[in-house]
Amino acid sequence: MVGGWWSPAVGLSGIGLVAALEVERTDAGREIFFNVQQPWAVYVFMATLVGLLVYGFGRHAGLWLLGKPTPGLRLHPRHRVRNAMRLGLGQEKLRRDPYAGVMHWCIFSSIVVLTFVTAQVALDADLSIHFLQGNYYLFFSFYGDLFGVIGLIGVGMALNRRYFDSYRRLRWDERLEDHLVLWGLALILLSGFAVEALRIGATELAEHESWARWSFASYGIAKLVEVFEFRDGQLLGAHTWAWWTHVVIAFGWLGLVVFTKLDHLFFAPANAYLLRTDAPGRLTTIENIEEREIFGVGQVQDFTWKQLFELDACVRCGRCTSVCPANLAGQPLSPMHLIQDLKAHLANVGPELQRVGHAGGDQRAVATVAMVGEVIKDETLWACRTCGACVQECPVMIEHVPTIVDMRRYLVMDEARVPATAQAALENMEVRGHPWRGTALTRDSWMEGLEDVPMFDGSQEYLYWVGCSGALVERNLPITRSVFKLLREAGASFGVLGQEETCNGDPARRLGNEYLYQILAQQLVETFKAKNVQRVITNCPHCFNTFKNEYPQFDGRFEVFHHTEFLARALGEGRLRPQHRVDSSVTYHDSCYLGRLNDVYDAPRQILEFLPGAAVQEMARSRSRGLCCGAGGGNMWQEEVGERRVNHVRAEEAVGTGAESVVSNCPFCIQMFEDGIPAIQPEEEGRMRAFDIAELLDQAVFGRNGSGAGGGESVR
Amino acid sequence: MHLVVCAKQIPDPETPPAAFRIDSAKNEVIPAQGIAPVLSPYDAQAAEAALRIKEQSGDGKVTVISLGKESAQAAIKQVLAMGADEGVLLSADEFQGGDSYTTAHALAAAVKKLGDVDAVFCGRQAADWDMGQVGVGIAEELGWPSAIIAKDVKADGGSFVVQRVLADGFETVKMAGPAVITVSNELGDPRYPKLQQIMQAARKTVTTWTPGDLGLQPGEIGAAGARLKLEKLFQPPAGGDVQIMEGDTPADQAKALARALRDAKII
């Protein structure tokens, strides 16, 4: 479940257990509440804590319940339990930052085990089941100390990262509670050792030193203290003080669970359970859109309760923001701040909404600051690339992208506040069936010079879906031709739709116009069904994602392949034979919609391995950590606001590898690189070039002039 | 305040050149396959100007009129979605084949039938034939003042203050209503309709008026009434004599170009 992370501690405990059992039967043990007057105060603390927890979570729950029902939560319970175990308790995502992974595991396991230790003490004392005796007592002493030490290691690592490391993301929204939580934990552990050491010093050291050794850390401290030769009375006095300090801080710290980010203790595993179980590249469908009055999310109560719940899971670790392409380019979006701003807004307006709701009033009429527009600025929402990097990194499983798109839906459909260039793209899709305003090309322009382009008539196995970008943007025409030639060379039975293609609606959906998307999607599903389409090959990862993950929402179920998947298979089966040298160093850029959102990382890399003479150099950010080219989420059609452009940031990373070309699999990525590279390399001489992987494979199979075998330098 | 917007549905001006065909024998544009007609962009700006005044005045009403085929309903619906209140389509076979004059004549008759109109807004010209005559034609027919190529229009009591685009600057004029104003793209982008408005517009019924409803005689409108005769419609031969400079590097290509230019005695 949690992999190798538990093993050192479990191993050590195991050794301790075996060793404890090896010891001759003993009457080891100790007096609970030793040297403590008025121990009943502990029960008052406990009752107060329970009261606090009930009150605190009740208050939270009231706010969550302002939200709408969350669809699909009853689906896939096993998958959800597995998520809760792996991502929640197992903290799988934390390990993407190894330092934080170790640090958090130390703290987490220490808290879990020491809570268990304390619970045993309570059981022993309160239920008078005296099991903290004999050999078990020795083992108990050992693992209690072991996890105390592990906890201190974790806290030490945390203190280091918070105060000494030049680690930025923790300081983006640092609050008093962050210091309180950390120092509180340090004091609990240290005072715990003090209590134990002083008790040992006052009792066991003189009478049963062999027992004391099992509490190895406390024993060590006790031996140190022994050097100073305090009197027993002094030790006992200090013990009392240490004991009460320990108890008070521990209860105080547990009380913080209600008021601080410590609540992630409960919310993170719960949010892992609530995490979507379908494809991450899929956006929710607005059902019965024509009958609704509000289409997007404009006020907090328009969110689902799960979307409100996850706001509380955020611990402000900043991982999302640290990988956000918009943020890296100095654009006005920080996923972490967006979540925190929504959380603060919910706390701000929630109580009034609850009051109005209970009274049966109109929550929408409650005058508040505008959530969309003021709390979350329009430009923040438009800066999102829907690349999913934030969702991928979030250790508490917050899904930022659907929340952002829901607010975009409000901007576009309810408020009609759309940036001019995005509006032009949307209108163009509506009027002309494609987003490329002003193109001089038609959907058959790419066919010029190609013989016998087969039209899909239902008799072929595959539909080759060219897509708007593949047909209507000059740069992408050679890619479309390459894919076409390679499919034919591989002997695929396929056809194209030519003039009958229309936009499948992806940009409309990402830009927030769900209504337009649904119209386009329903039309195309009908067309596909009428033409008996079963299998589709696309050269655009966005079309790929839409057909594969989103059309099933409209009863369009097709087997969908990205051209890299098809070509990699054809190469593997020997149906394509690269025989011309490509001699070039290349770096590979994972498009977000093929990679992160659809988990296709290997097929394109397999193709690269087949290219004779191609040397691949990976960028630091690759595979699931790949950085968006800047075009996703409809940003292909928007003016960027901010310090830099995302494609400049990514082009810089590509150029930094020293490779001659950057290779991708997405028409948007290619356009963004072609546009971004000259900004990084102003000199045309030796400038990096951007290719689709199909173009390189075309060269390798047909030669540089594309004239078939013999057109270029042959490998043989 | 009652404002009228004249909206024309035209072949998509963004039709790719490759898809644009002319039937020279019939002197007609062949509708491009798969490319739907659109609302003339200037007319969308005229609608925007009228809607701004409606919002400014608080209690205005905007009626959109189009003369065209049944398909022009789509152009009317688009303006209704932007916020216009009512739509009227002038549609009948007799209207077909007309020119700017017959169109202005028919639209003016429709404005008269509406009765209480304070201003008529047109695009500065339709983006298909680019004549720019209908707006001023309506003004002439109605005997109203007109201001053309407006970049800003404000209502001021019963008058309209219009900022006009000139070749070398701007001009602000004020005229008493009722008046005709033609609007230019300098006004700014037309609004993006809210979905709720699109759905309301879809539910609205558009009134259709025939020549008979407007009291127009067959000889006054359409081809029969047209005063402008189209003599010849043709596409200039496309392309030219292009020579692509071969070369492995841009430097080689530049050398080849220089040589070719020298051979041609240009340099």
Side-chain angles (χ1 to χ4, degrees), chain A residues 461-569:
Chain A
E461 185 181 1
Y462 295 99
L463 166 69
Y464 170 33
W465 176 263
V466 173
C468 305
S469 301
L472 301 172
V473 178
E474 194 82 44
R475 169 63 188 92
N476 298 320
L477 264 52
I479 302 172
T480 304
R481 291 199 191 100
S482 291
V483 174
F484 173 81
K485 282 159 63 190
L486 291 165
L487 290 180
R488 195 154 64 179
E489 178 74 11
S493 154
F494 72 101
V496 299
L497 286 182
Q499 296 284 7
E500 288 182 81
E501 273 196 13
T502 51
C503 179
N504 59 36
D506 162 80
R509 187 170 237 201
R510 264 75 206 164
L511 284 169
N513 196 333
E514 174 71 9
Y515 180 67
L516 176 58
Y517 167 74
Q518 291 193 5
I519 291 173
L520 293 168
Q522 278 156 0
Q523 276 173 3
L524 199 53
V525 168
E526 289 311 310
T527 305
F528 277 16
K529 283 184 176 171
K531 293 195 171 284
N532 195 25
V533 172
Q534 310 278 345
R535 295 177 162 174
V536 187
I537 298 172
T538 75
N539 61 19
C540 171
H542 297 262
C543 299
F544 172 76
N545 179 66
T546 299
F547 292 148
K548 184 173 174 160
N549 298 321
E550 297 192 333
Y551 273 22
Q553 294 168 320
F554 299 91
D555 200 32
R557 288 164 214 283
F558 314 102
E559 210 178 330
V560 188
F561 304 88
H562 186 256
H563 70 286
T564 53
E565 295 179 298
F566 183 89
L567 296 174
R569 207 178 63 202

Side-chain angles (χ1 to χ4, degrees), chain B residues 62-64 70 73-74 76-77 80 84-89 197-209:
Chain B
V62 173
T63 302
V64 50
E70 201 53 35
Q73 289 252 10
I76 293 174
K77 293 275 182 176
L80 288 174
D85 302 278
E86 284 170 19
V88 178
L89 175 63
Q197 293 177 303
I198 295 174
M199 290 178 176
Q200 280 162 8
R203 286 194 283 270
K204 277 185 183 160
T205 40
V206 173
T207 315
T208 301
W209 284 344

Side-chain angles (χ1 to χ4, degrees), chain B:
Chain B
M1 187 176 300
H2 189 180
L3 309 169
V4 165
V5 174
C6 299
K8 183 181 184 186
Q9 192 182 45
I10 61 168
D12 189 350
E14 289 193 19
T15 303
F20 187 77
R21 296 265 182 280
I22 277 171
D23 183 342
S24 299
K26 289 192 196 161
N27 273 354
E28 273 180 8
V29 175
I30 303 168
Q33 188 209 340
I35 299 176
V38 301
L39 171 66
S40 177
Y42 296 120
D43 295 351
Q45 268 132 358
E48 176 65 33
L51 291 167
R52 285 182 194 173
I53 289 175
K54 175 187 163 181
E55 279 158 12
Q56 180 201 339
S57 73
D59 65 338
K61 171 180 161 188
V62 173
T63 302
V64 50
I65 307 180
S66 183
L67 186 153
K69 295 180 183 165
E70 201 53 35
S71 67
Q73 289 252 10
I76 293 174
K77 293 275 182 176
Q78 192 175 333
V79 180
L80 288 174
M82 286 173 71
D85 302 278
E86 284 170 19
V88 178
L89 175 63
L90 310 186
S91 189
D93 291 342
E94 296 90 320
F95 284 123
Q96 296 301 311
D99 61 3
S100 302
Y101 168 72
T102 58
T103 305
H105 190 62
L107 289 171
V111 173
K112 277 186 213 154
K113 187 173 163 73
L114 286 171
D116 56 345
V117 174
D118 296 283
V120 174
F121 290 81
C122 301
R124 59 179 284 179
Q125 65 209 56
D128 49 357
W129 294 101
D130 292 316
M131 297 284 210
Q133 298 293 311
V134 171
V136 285
I138 295 170
E140 184 67 25
E141 288 271 332
L142 297 171
W144 293 357
S146 70
I148 61 166
I149 317 186
K151 78 182 276 276
D152 187 50
V153 187
K154 293 244 163 22
D156 181 8
S159 302
F160 294 91
V161 179
V162 181
Q163 197 174 15
R164 299 186 50 234
V165 181
L166 305 179
D168 53 358
F170 304 109
E171 174 187 80
T172 303
V173 297
K174 183 171 179 177
M175 56 186 178
V180 176
I181 297 145
T182 77
V183 179
S184 186
N185 51 310
E186 284 87 350
L187 183 99
D189 286 330
R191 67 196 57 199
Y192 190 70
K194 296 179 182 179
L195 184 48
Q196 208 59 265
Q197 293 177 303
I198 295 174
M199 290 178 176
Q200 280 162 8
R203 286 194 283 270
K204 277 185 183 160
T205 40
V206 173
T207 315
T208 301
W209 284 344
T210 60
D213 295 327
L214 299 173
L216 295 170
Q217 299 306 312
E220 295 176 71
I221 51 168
R227 300 174 177 194
L228 191 81
K229 186 158 169 48
L230 182 64
E231 285 287 332
K232 190 180 177 196
L233 188 64
F234 65 99
Q235 274 178 298
D241 193 6
V242 179
Q243 199 185 336
I244 303 290
M245 292 301 145
E246 301 290 339
D248 289 338
T249 65
D252 290 348
Q253 288 170 311
K255 270 184 210 156
L257 176 63
R259 215 172 286 129
L261 289 172
R262 199 176 324 145
D263 291 347
K265 302 222 177 341
I266 293 169
I267 54 172

Side-chain angles (χ1 to χ4, degrees), chain A residues 7 15 28-29 36 87 191 321 462 478 521 523 534 581 588 613 617 622 628 664 680 686:
Chain A
S7 4
I15 293 169
V36 174
L87 304 173
S191 60
T321 296
Y462 295 99
Q523 276 173 3
Q534 310 278 345
R581 297 197 67 84
Y588 177 71
Q617 279 154 339
S622 69
C628 175
S664 191
I680 307 303

Side-chain angles (χ1 to χ4, degrees), chain A residues 281-297:
Chain A
R282 173 187 287 183
L283 292 173
T284 52
T285 303
I286 302 179
E287 306 287 348
N288 304 323
I289 192 164
E290 303 201 348
E291 288 153 29
R292 293 173 68 109
E293 281 171 15
I294 298 292
F295 304 100
V297 168

